[in-house]
Amino acid sequence: MVTHPPLQLSGFDWQMQANKYAHHTDKYYINELTTRRGQPFYLKLSFNRPIASGERLTFTASTGPNPSESARTKAVIPLSTGSSGGSWSAVLSSNNSDGSVTVAISSPANAPIGRYTLSIQIASEGGSTSTTLGTWVLLFNPWLQADGVFMMNNAEREEYVEEDAGVIFVGSANRISMVGWNYGQYEEDILNISLIILDRSLNFRRDPVTDVARRNDPKYVGRVLSGMINGNDDNGVLSGNWSGDYTGGKDPRNWNGSVEILKEWKKNRFQPVRFGQCWVFAGTLNTVLRCLGIPSRVITNFNSAHDTDRNLTIDVYYDALGNPLDRGSDSIWNFHVWNEAWFVRIDLDSQYNGWQVLDATPQERSQGVFQCGPASVIAVRQGDVNLDFDMPFVFSEVNADQITWIINSDNSKKQTSSKTSSVGRFISTKAVGSNSRMDVTDKYKYAEGSKEEREVFKKALQKLKPSSGAFGSTAAGPENAEVKPPSISGKFKVNGTLEVGKEVNVSLQLKNLSDDWKTVSVNMTAWTIVYNGTLVHEVWKDSITASLDPQEEMEYPLKLTYAQYENFLTADNMIRITAVCQVTDEAEVVVERDVILDNPAITLELLDQARVKTPVNVQVLFANPLDEPVNNCVLTVEGSGLMRGNLKIKVPSLRPKERSNFKFEITPLRSGTKQLLIDFSCSKFPAIKAFLSVDVTE
């Protein structure tokens, strides 16, 4: 009888390159195998001799603390010769000429994602030995039809999963602009930090076993991340600040992308990074979703309502002098940014599959935590506010009616107007394959003023307040409003250009709509504001009285000098100008306009063709438009695939009207079209942004 020496593993190879390529994870800058669920990866094993009959090989894959087969966080996988569809399997793929064997390991398409440990047991007559082979990371698989995040369209999948830079729309409904954002999901340590975010969530801390088991579900992972990207309850990633004063942190407008934020969170031992505002939360959540394999995009809603009392109306208050008041907690933001993630809703009817709203900006608590979503976009359009999750809040963000009130000196209030179409305009996202703006308003609601749109609004209102008869006119929209139509109308018109450092010229246009002679007294104010309407400082006020003949129009010019606003402008560059116009014995007419001032231009130029691993110079051109010097100038540069980390360059002070150009060098790491972003900040201009598409050749 022949006795073999005991069978021993003598070599093991993850076949990193071939597997990463097959699993679309070859761009991740990580020296750990990263695969996608439901798809086989191939391991090469060498032994001290051929495997004899009667010797059995078994693999064990496990994730999280206390893994168990009942929780589906552990799988014991015997080596077989044929695959069993839909569950974990290890199949002998080939016996190689060098005596090694290749084994294909497959996971179910709904396995929990995360970091797994793989070990092998060798059992023979003389007993069994076990060896840990190491760890690998399993991600969602948008390439696989059986996975809940499957995305069929190749161009969309490329954009929403693989693209690591993009643009985010900001500004206001009458002045939409965009900023570049570096998602950087492949950068060093970002995948690792994304998994740490899940492991630091409240759910994991309360019940790690259940939490890890539930990571098979994109709906669950998305909801947890929407709570973890803000630091409100759980020492999450970012601390929000909308005060206009960012002492002790970074002005939210200075960030160029998510990579720096995520790295800083880890470096600071998981204390929330200061400071974020909505597009910073959304940009960071987008990075983590794409990193884990959930298709996602960033959405901007202009004139976004923040309805705190679920009555689908936003009440806005002014005093008789024209000052906007911080009364009540409802507000309308010039813009608000959230995310959509793409997956099936197994908890709902299949008609609600597809894009789901997730919002990481801390606005309202949901189940005790600042988290929001997933809310199906299709359900929002249909007014199905009774469905999970946070539907009433998302519905009102795009649909609430706006009611304007004047608070008199005796504290009495009266309604001056009600608008049904001002909220939820130009809902925007980056187009697939280009930086153009794609309008998705029609995905969220029927056309303003259409029969369907008002019907959906009524349906939603009924679901929120079944006893709607009881609360009468507060949310009734225009039909019940007891307001006599005013005899005058007004609007602000901007004259000339709006630039920081220059005079702001606006005129108030008043029109007498009646056939009688009217006297109008007008109180006007101008305040610098943060984009969400937070008042920073009054910078101007004036009062006039005008006499208008029947049907007469008049124009009253007003101007704000740079000296009046320069010390109170935030990086938002926004000024809210208000006029409260009163005709005796009539309701006041409130005229309002938010103006956005342009920063001086800054231009980026590549001085040579960009090639992989070859240094190339970039030139930045900037002219100080002011009659005073600008100091403390810092340039921050970032761009995934173009450089490791970011560059911070101190720039010399600029004399009044001085033109300057400065150069820096980058060494591209990957070929393809990449995005280079800069942020220039100095004493008078807190955040001037620019970005450039760079085509890198091999």
Side-chain angles (χ1 to χ4, degrees), residues 175-187:
R175 200 138 197 221
I176 295 174
S177 59
M178 62 175 154
V179 293
W181 194 263
N182 180 28
Y183 298 120
Q185 66 266 35
Y186 306 121
E187 298 303 290

Side-chain angles (χ1 to χ4, degrees), residues 411-479:
N411 240 350
S412 64
K413 65 174 189 176
K414 64 176 190 245
Q415 183 181 330
T416 70
S417 73
S418 156
K419 295 189 210 138
T420 61
S421 62
S422 57
V423 162
R425 312 272 311 277
F426 305 112
I427 305 174
S428 306
T429 190
K430 174 190 177 302
V432 172
S434 84
N435 285 340
S436 337
R437 185 181 78 86
M438 180 164 85
D439 195 292
V440 293
T441 313
D442 63 329
K443 301 277 183 281
Y444 279 84
K445 53 188 185 177
Y446 291 96
E448 285 295 353
S450 67
K451 188 166 109 280
E452 296 92 338
E453 185 252 350
R454 281 288 104 186
E455 275 168 10
V456 165
F457 189 86
K458 283 192 183 127
K459 166 181 167 184
L461 203 52
Q462 241 135 24
K463 288 187 175 196
L464 289 174
K465 298 265 167 96
S467 57
S468 62
F471 67 114
S473 63
T474 49
E479 304 82 15

Side-chain angles (χ1 to χ4, degrees), residues 616-642:
V616 60
N617 276 306
V618 182
Q619 177 170 264
V620 181
L621 302 170
F622 177 71
N624 173 11
L626 305 178
D627 294 320
E628 50 190 296
V630 297
N631 315 312
N632 309 335
C633 307
V634 181
L635 187 70
T636 326
V637 188
E638 194 171 320
S640 286
L642 292 171

Side-chain angles (χ1 to χ4, degrees), residues 148-320:
V149 301
F150 173 63
M151 194 166 235
M152 198 165 61
N153 182 308
N154 191 37
E156 288 182 11
R157 198 173 51 227
E158 223 165 85
E159 177 73 51
Y160 299 135
V161 182
E162 297 187 273
E163 188 52 71
D164 62 356
V167 294
I168 299 176
F169 294 93
V170 296
S172 66
N174 51 19
R175 200 138 197 221
I176 295 174
S177 59
M178 62 175 154
V179 293
W181 194 263
N182 180 28
Y183 298 120
Q185 66 266 35
Y186 306 121
E187 298 303 290
E188 189 172 10
D189 217 21
I190 297 302
L191 175 53
N192 198 31
I193 294 169
S194 300
L195 296 172
I196 291 172
I197 291 174
L198 294 176
D199 283 350
R200 296 194 68 85
S201 73
L202 292 175
N203 291 17
F204 181 85
R205 284 186 246 167
R206 285 184 200 129
D207 182 353
V209 174
T210 307
D211 173 76
V212 171
R214 293 188 70 186
R215 292 181 193 176
N216 66 330
D217 180 0
K219 159 173 101 284
Y220 177 78
V221 172
R223 184 158 173 81
V224 166
L225 291 174
S226 81
M228 274 303 292
I229 297 300
N230 68 68
N232 285 45
D233 316 278
D234 40 33
N235 273 356
V237 177
L238 276 157
S239 178
N241 179 343
W242 286 266
S243 69
D245 175 9
Y246 309 112
T247 323
K250 199 171 184 156
D251 185 320
R253 296 253 174 189
N254 288 137
W255 299 110
N256 285 323
S258 320
V259 177
E260 285 309 301
I261 293 167
L262 292 165
K263 285 182 171 173
E264 191 175 312
W265 180 66
K266 184 184 171 193
K267 197 175 101 205
N268 292 347
R269 299 209 175 95
F270 313 111
Q271 290 307 303
V273 174
R274 299 192 260 188
F275 289 108
Q277 287 171 353
C278 65
W279 70 94
V280 185
F281 291 105
T284 305
L285 177 54
N286 211 54
T287 295
V288 178
L289 290 166
R290 286 186 187 178
C291 187
L292 297 177
I294 300 176
S296 63
R297 61 187 187 182
V298 172
I299 301 284
T300 305
N301 178 37
F302 290 94
N303 293 354
S304 190
H306 179 166
D307 176 21
T308 51
D309 45 16
R310 292 173 57 130
N311 65 352
L312 299 190
T313 47
I314 301 293
D315 298 309
V316 184
Y317 298 95
Y318 298 89
D319 68 15

Side-chain angles (χ1 to χ4, degrees), residues 378 558 587:
I378 289 163
L558 53 111

